[in-house]
């Protein structure tokens, strides 16, 4: 029987690609960012999208789903959002910005926990 893993894997990977690739437009259109600010934000996008790609390409081996790469994506997602999202919530941003990022954080962490609980044991 196939594991319950593939559906959560694809949902988290799809969400990660959608969220982080769409983030590039915001980064490149932000005139307030200096070159360092742009570079680290692009680096975050690259890291998330590459982890998601590795999770998809490296997970199916010998007809079975393996979890190492996807676990890295799961825990990087949770850690990133706890640090960055927590900082956004505690910082002095306008209400709309904070609300949007809180929703993005909740979805990302929720999907990550879905993947974690659905992983093959």
């Amino acid at each position: 029987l196939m594991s319950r893993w593939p559906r959560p894997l694809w949902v988290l990977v799809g969400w990660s690609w959608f969220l982080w690739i769409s983030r590039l437009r915001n980064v490149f259109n932000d005139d307030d960012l200096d070159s360092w600010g742009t570079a680290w934000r692009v680096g975050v996008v690259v890291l998330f999208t590459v982890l998601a790609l590795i999770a998809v390409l490296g997970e199916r081996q010998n007809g079975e789903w393996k979890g190492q790469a996807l676990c890295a994506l799961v825990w990087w997602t949770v850690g990133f959002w706890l640090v960055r999202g927590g900082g956004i919530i505690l910082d002095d941003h306008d209400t709309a910005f904070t609300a949007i990022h809180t929703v993005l954080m909740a979805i990302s962490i929720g999907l990550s926990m879905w993947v974690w609980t659905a992983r093959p044991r």
Side-chain angles (χ1 to χ4, degrees):
L1 289 174
M2 185 177 269
S3 155
R4 295 179 313 162
W5 191 267
R7 185 174 16 163
L9 178 148
W10 285 106
V11 174
L12 179 61
V13 166
W15 171 255
S16 297
W17 283 336
F18 165 76
L19 180 63
W20 294 104
I21 291 170
S22 66
R23 173 86 173 109
L24 281 177
R25 185 188 73 234
N26 297 346
V27 171
F28 290 125
N29 288 333
D30 189 342
D31 295 330
D32 293 333
L33 293 176
D34 59 11
S35 58
W36 172 246
T38 299
W40 87 261
R41 285 167 176 82
V42 169
V44 168
V45 170
V46 168
L47 183 57
F48 270 104
T49 55
V50 167
L51 276 174
L53 180 62
I54 292 168
V56 168
L57 295 178
E59 289 309 308
R60 190 155 173 83
Q61 300 169 3
N62 300 324
E64 302 218 1
W65 290 90
K66 306 294 180 192
Q68 295 82 7
L70 193 56
C71 286
L73 175 61
V74 163
W75 292 111
W76 170 251
T77 299
V78 170
F80 176 86
W81 278 109
L82 288 177
V83 172
R84 184 71 178 128
I88 289 171
I89 290 169
L90 296 174
D91 206 358
D92 187 27
H93 294 288
D94 65 56
T95 304
F97 183 88
T98 301
I100 288 168
H101 285 83
T102 300
V103 169
L104 295 175
M105 177 174 61
I107 292 169
S108 297
I109 291 174
L111 290 175
S112 294
M113 292 299 90
W114 182 36
V115 166
W116 187 251
T117 59
R119 76 192 187 285
R121 295 194 188 6

